[in-house]
Amino acid sequence: MSRGGGNRRDFLKATAQAGGVAGALWSGLIDRALAIAPAGRNGSIMDVEHVVIHMQENRSFDHYLGMLNGVRGLGDPRPLRLPGGRAVWAQPSDQHADGHVLPYHGDSRTTRSFTVDGADQSHRENMHIFNRGRYDRWGHTGELHNRMLHYTAGDLPFYYALADAFTVCDAYHCSTMTQTYPNRLHLFTGCNGGGTVGGDPEMSNYGEDETPSADMATDQPLRAEAYRWTTYAERLQQAGIAWKVYQEYDNFGDNLLSVFPPFRPCARDSDLYRRGRAWVSEHLQGPDRTRSDGEQLVAAFRADVAAGQLPAVSWIVTAADLSEHPKAEPSKGEHVTAKLIEALIDHPEVFARTVFILNYDEAGGFFDHMPPPVPPVGDYRGHSTVALDGEMKDWSAESAWAAEHGARHPIGLGIRTPTMLVSPWSRGGFVCSELFDHTSVLRFLERRFGVHEPNISAWRRAVCGDLTSAFDFTRSDPSRPARALPDTADFRDRVARSAAGTANAIPARQEPAAQMPGQRPHRPLPYRLAVTGEVTPARRFRLTLANTGTKGAAFTVHDNTDRQEPWHYTIGAGDRFASEQWHDAPLPAGGTSDAYDLTLRGPNGLWRRFAGPLGAPVEALCHDRPEMDAVELVLVNRGTAPATFTIALDPAYRAQTVQTRSVSVAPGKRVSDLWRLGPSDNWYDLTVRTESEPAFLRRFAGKVENGRAGRTDPGIGPMRVEV
C-alpha cells in the first residue's frame, strides 16, 4: 500500500484506560495467556470456536524475525547460491565497495529504522528480483540500504516474546509476488481473480483509490468487470456462521470486502453491512466518529469478547498508522496487537476456545533469503504432477517488458512473511515449517467450520498446508516460555527514540549476522519425500522425486555451473517424477556435456547436491529411515577396482558414531551405511566423496520426519557467507 495515514490521535500517547496494555503489564500478559488451558473435550480442531485474523502490512520474515533462534532465518546453514558463487546474503550492488550488500541491523535505538520503507513491490519488480529463481537482483534499483535492513529482539520485544511463548511459522509465504490488494484478495477470497473462477489475475492495488475509507459513502466507482467472484465472508453468511470485520474509519483500504459488488453499496440494515462495512465508531458524533487511533477498535473488540458475542471468524483491519506499513512504526503495531490479545486473555473462557492469527499481507520490498516456491507455468522450466490453473499472469500486452523478461510468469507464491499463532493449542515456543500461504488461513476455516472455498487453486491445495500442523489439539497442560520475557515498559518511548536517531546506512564494514543461538521445539510435519540422483546407462544424470507423504511438495533445482536457469517441480502426494531436463539445453561454446553440478532444494530444509563426471563408476544414494531415526547411505561401486568413500557429517550435527568415516566397496558391489541421528534431533548434513573420482560429490541434508515433535535444525546459527 502507498496511501498515507491522515491525521489522527497518536495511539501510543493516549492515556491507558481500563483494559489497556501499558508498560509493565505487557511482561505479564503472556504469562497469563500461558496459564489458560484449552477448552473442549474433542481433542481436535472442533474445540476451536473463534478464529481472529489480524493481518498487518508489508514486512518480510528475515526483516522481522530472521534473528530469532531456531527459525530458518539469517543463520540458515544452507543458503541459496547466487550465480557467480556467493551466498544469497551477498546481494550484488554498487552501493558498497565490497560489490555486495549483506543484511544489516537497523537499530531502532540509534537510527530511524522504524520508518524505513522497503521499495517497489509490484509484480513486475518481484519478477525482476526473483529472476526465475536465481533471486539475485534485490539491489538493481539501488535501494539495498532499505531492503536489507533487519530488526532484532531489542527492536521488537513483544513479537519476539510472542514467538517464545507460542508458535511461529517460518515457511509462511504471502500468496502473490506483488502488492497488498492481490494478497489480501487471497485472504478474503482464496484467489486474486485467476483461480478456478477463470479470471485474469489482479496484480495491482486496483480499488485502493476507489475505497478511501470504511465509509461506504466515500466509495468511488470500480470498473464494471472488477472483482466479480464470491468472498469467503459471503460463504460464511450463507452457511449461517457468524463473522465480522473490526475496523475504524481509516481502514487503509485493507478491508478487501469493500471492493466487491455485494458490499458497494449494500443496505445499511443488512448483515453484509453490519458485519462487513460498518466501522466501530460510526454511531458516535463529532471527531470520535472518524477517529482512527486504535482505541475504539480495541474497545469494540473487547466489548464483544466480554459480552460473549465474539463471532466465529473475525478479521481485524487497523488504521494506516497502526498497520506496521513502512513508515508506520512497528512498536505501534506491537501495542495494538498486545491490546487485542489482552482483550482475549482477560476472559479466559473465551481465549480457551480461540485461535489468534497474526500475519502480514506482503513483504513490502524487504529482503528475505528464501526464494518463494513457484509452479512451472509459462516457459518456466520444470514439471508439475498437479494442475496449474489460475497460477499464471500473462504480460503479453506489456510488449516491451515482456520482450525482456518473458510474457508469462507465476503469480506466487510470494516472499516469506512473519506469522505467529497465539492460542492454548500453540503454546511452547514452537516453530512450524510446513509451507503455508494466505489461503492456508481459509483452509483452516474450512477444516473447522465446513465452509468450502472453491477458488483456491489445485496447486495451492497441493503444496500449502491448512495450518493444523502448527497446533497440538490434544494438549491440555499450560507451558512456559523457554527464556525470560523482555520488559517492554518503555514501548511508548521507542517511537520517539527511533525518530530522533540518525539515518539508516549500510555499514562501512559489513559483518555476517549472528542469529540468536539455540534450538526451539519443532512441530512434526507431513513430508515423506525421497530424492535420488543417478547417472543412467545412457550417460545422463537423472533425478527422481518421489512423494509418499500426505502433502505435496515444491522443489527447485539450480545449475551450479550457471549455464541454465533453475527448474521448478511440484510433486503431489503419492506422485513421483524423474527428470533429465538439464541435458536438454545447448552448451556454451567450449562447454562439455560430461559433467554436471546441481543443487536441489525442498521443504523443511531438504537439500541435495549432485556433482561429478557422467562417466564415474560410483554412486551414493540417501534414504530416510524414520523407524530408526536414521538415514541410510547406499554406496555403489560399478567399477572394476575397489572404491573408498569418505563420509563427513557437518560439525553442527551429531550422530551416534564418529563424525567422519571411510567405507570401502568392492567392485560391482554396494554397501549400506546407516547414520543414526538422534543426537542431532534427526537433522543431518552429510558429504560423500571418493578418492578414485575427485570431482564426484554428493551432499545430503534435511530432517527425517518421524511423526513426533522435535527440535529445530541445530545447524542454524551464525551466517555462512561462503557456500
Side-chain angles (χ1 to χ4, degrees):
M1 299 287 287
S2 59
R3 186 168 63 247
N7 295 321
R8 58 180 59 84
R9 250 183 243 180
D10 189 342
F11 187 35
L12 293 175
K13 294 180 180 177
T15 301
Q17 300 177 354
V21 179
L25 288 180
W26 273 25
S27 61
L29 177 61
I30 297 175
D31 285 329
R32 291 163 57 204
L34 295 172
I36 301 172
R41 298 181 180 272
N42 293 308
S44 72
I45 193 175
M46 301 309 293
D47 290 329
V48 178
E49 295 188 14
H50 310 283
V51 180
V52 180
I53 305 159
H54 179 37
M55 177 174 275
Q56 294 284 77
E57 283 269 345
N58 293 37
R59 304 289 178 169
S60 77
F61 187 91
D62 280 347
H63 168 61
Y64 254 31
L65 299 177
M67 292 293 281
L68 182 70
N69 65 297
V71 301
R72 203 159 294 279
L74 295 171
D76 189 341
R78 290 168 292 278
L80 176 72
R81 175 194 176 277
L82 298 182
R86 288 175 173 158
V88 69
W89 320 115
Q91 286 293 317
S93 173
D94 60 5
Q95 287 187 260
H96 198 280
D98 292 343
H100 64 263
V101 176
L102 299 176
Y104 76 95
H105 177 211
D107 192 341
S108 62
R109 298 168 299 179
T110 59
T111 74
R112 297 195 291 273
S113 69
F114 269 179
T115 53
V116 66
D117 199 346
D120 181 7
Q121 200 54 359
S122 68
H123 185 243
R124 294 197 299 186
E125 174 65 9
N126 269 259
M127 290 297 96
H128 196 83
I129 290 171
F130 186 62
N131 196 15
R132 297 178 177 263
R134 299 180 182 92
Y135 219 47
D136 60 341
R137 294 179 178 174
W138 282 92
H140 81 103
T141 60
E143 297 172 282
L144 290 186
H145 58 292
N146 290 339
R147 292 187 186 272
M148 303 301 282
L149 180 147
H150 69 81
Y151 298 122
T152 69
D155 306 297
L156 303 173
F158 186 70
Y159 285 159
Y160 274 67
L162 274 186
D164 276 347
F166 294 99
T167 293
V168 61
C169 301
D170 69 349
Y172 189 115
H173 291 251
C174 67
S175 290
T176 78
M177 283 197 257
T178 190
Q179 300 166 298
T180 285
Y181 264 47
N183 278 290
R184 289 185 180 251
L185 286 171
H186 277 89
L187 180 77
F188 279 94
T189 76
C191 72
N192 60 334
T196 56
V197 296
D200 181 40
E202 177 61 68
M203 302 305 296
S204 74
N205 278 344
Y206 177 72
E208 176 185 357
D209 294 334
E210 290 77 5
T211 313
S213 75
D215 190 349
M216 197 166 61
T218 67
D219 288 353
Q220 303 300 308
L222 292 170
R223 59 178 188 251
E225 75 277 10
Y227 303 130
R228 295 286 175 175
W229 63 95
T230 304
T231 66
Y232 197 72
E234 294 170 82
R235 302 192 196 282
L236 292 172
Q237 184 74 19
Q238 294 161 6
I241 306 296
W243 62 276
K244 184 175 181 179
V245 175
Y246 290 88
Q247 61 183 350
E248 292 177 315
Y249 175 83
D250 170 21
N251 64 6
F252 204 24
D254 280 348
N255 176 9
L256 267 291
L257 297 180
S258 64
V259 300
F260 284 84
F263 295 88
R264 54 183 303 129
C266 52
R268 291 183 180 271
D269 60 351
S270 68
D271 276 345
L272 290 187
Y273 183 84
R274 286 191 294 265
R275 295 177 174 181
R277 289 302 309 261
W279 70 97
V280 297
S281 59
E282 68 173 281
H283 62 287
L284 301 176
Q285 301 295 320
D288 281 350
R289 188 171 188 268
T290 58
R291 179 161 62 91
S292 303
D293 60 10
E295 287 186 359
Q296 296 177 118
L297 180 145
V298 173
F301 181 77
R302 171 177 286 277
D304 280 357
V305 172
Q309 296 177 351
L310 184 68
V313 180
S314 305
W315 286 274
I316 306 292
V317 179
T318 56
D321 197 40
L322 310 174
S323 69
E324 300 172 57
H325 189 278
K327 299 189 177 181
E329 297 90 341
S331 47
K332 296 180 181 179
E334 285 187 306
H335 187 61
V336 72
T337 300
K339 294 194 76 171
L340 291 165
I341 293 173
E342 192 203 32
L344 293 167
I345 302 306
D346 282 348
H347 296 274
E349 74 286 356
V350 178
F351 183 73
R353 304 189 302 270
T354 299
V355 168
F356 184 97
I357 301 171
L358 171 64
N359 58 5
Y360 293 76
D361 54 16
E362 43 115 338
F366 292 111
F367 174 78
D368 185 82
H369 82 282
M370 296 288 289
V374 301
V377 298
D379 60 354
Y380 278 57
R381 297 182 178 184
H383 180 80
S384 175
T385 67
V386 300
L388 302 180
D389 296 344
E391 290 297 334
M392 184 179 73
K393 177 68 177 181
D394 193 334
W395 288 100
S396 297
E398 306 284 343
S399 58
W401 188 87
E404 181 178 357
H405 301 281
R408 299 181 297 171
H409 295 269
I411 66 172
L413 299 177
I415 294 166
R416 254 192 340 165
T417 51
T419 295
M420 284 181 277
L421 306 174
V422 181
S423 84
W425 303 280
S426 58
R427 297 171 300 186
F430 278 85
V431 176
C432 182
S433 299
E434 185 176 0
L435 183 66
F436 301 132
D437 83 321
H438 300 327
T439 67
S440 299
V441 177
L442 295 186
R443 292 182 59 206
F444 186 84
L445 300 179
E446 286 182 338
R447 287 282 301 271
R448 173 55 185 91
F449 300 111
V451 179
H452 181 64
E453 177 47 74
N455 287 330
I456 300 174
S457 74
W459 183 79
R460 288 173 195 266
R461 287 190 178 276
V463 302
C464 297
D466 59 11
L467 296 184
T468 54
S469 62
F471 300 88
D472 184 353
F473 294 110
T474 67
R475 295 180 63 182
S476 59
D477 61 304
S479 54
R480 300 289 172 181
R483 58 188 175 87
L485 300 173
D487 183 5
T488 58
D490 65 342
F491 74 97
R492 285 178 289 185
D493 299 328
R494 290 187 286 128
V495 171
R497 187 163 59 240
S498 181
T502 59
N504 299 294
I506 302 165
R509 178 180 176 85
Q510 300 192 96
E511 298 288 347
Q515 189 172 340
M516 296 167 63
Q519 295 171 267
R520 304 174 76 85
H522 197 238
R523 299 297 304 150
L525 301 181
Y527 298 118
R528 300 292 185 270
L529 307 170
V531 178
T532 57
E534 291 188 273
V535 177
T536 70
R539 293 173 63 89
R540 292 170 68 89
F541 184 77
R542 175 181 295 166
L543 273 180
T544 301
L545 311 176
N547 184 351
T548 61
T550 59
K551 188 73 237 169
F555 303 87
T556 58
V557 177
H558 287 254
D559 180 1
N560 296 319
T561 69
D562 299 330
R563 297 183 306 192
Q564 304 180 62
E565 67 187 51
W567 297 263
H568 306 275
Y569 296 92
T570 298
I571 311 299
D575 294 340
R576 62 188 291 125
F577 182 76
S579 181
E580 303 170 8
Q581 285 185 279
W582 21 92
H583 297 293
D584 298 338
L587 292 171
T592 176
S593 61
D594 192 48
Y596 58 93
D597 189 349
L598 304 171
T599 294
L600 175 141
R601 306 173 68 86
N604 195 30
L606 179 67
W607 196 95
R608 300 287 189 263
R609 185 176 175 189
F610 304 93
L614 291 171
V618 293
E619 187 54 80
L621 310 174
C622 182
H623 305 291
D624 286 3
R625 294 290 182 254
E627 71 281 1
M628 295 184 284
D629 291 336
V631 292
E632 179 188 19
L633 299 183
V634 178
L635 309 174
V636 182
N637 180 7
R638 302 187 185 97
T640 59
T644 299
F645 294 83
T646 301
I647 305 103
L649 182 65
D650 185 286
Y653 304 85
R654 294 178 294 126
Q656 291 184 349
T657 57
V658 295
Q659 294 291 113
T660 303
R661 58 188 187 232
S662 296
V663 179
S664 180
V665 182
K669 301 295 184 180
R670 59 179 57 206
V671 172
S672 175
D673 186 40
L674 194 70
W675 290 75
R676 296 187 181 271
L677 306 170
S680 64
D681 302 289
N682 279 18
W683 295 91
Y684 60 93
D685 187 341
L686 291 159
T687 298
V688 183
R689 298 182 180 273
T690 179
E691 296 176 355
S692 59
E693 296 286 347
F696 175 86
L697 171 68
R698 297 290 184 267
R699 185 176 171 191
F700 310 106
K703 183 186 182 185
V704 177
E705 288 288 344
N706 58 13
R708 302 187 299 272
R711 294 194 299 169
T712 53
D713 188 341
I716 295 171
M719 179 180 286
R720 302 186 185 189
V721 179
E722 303 298 325
V723 296

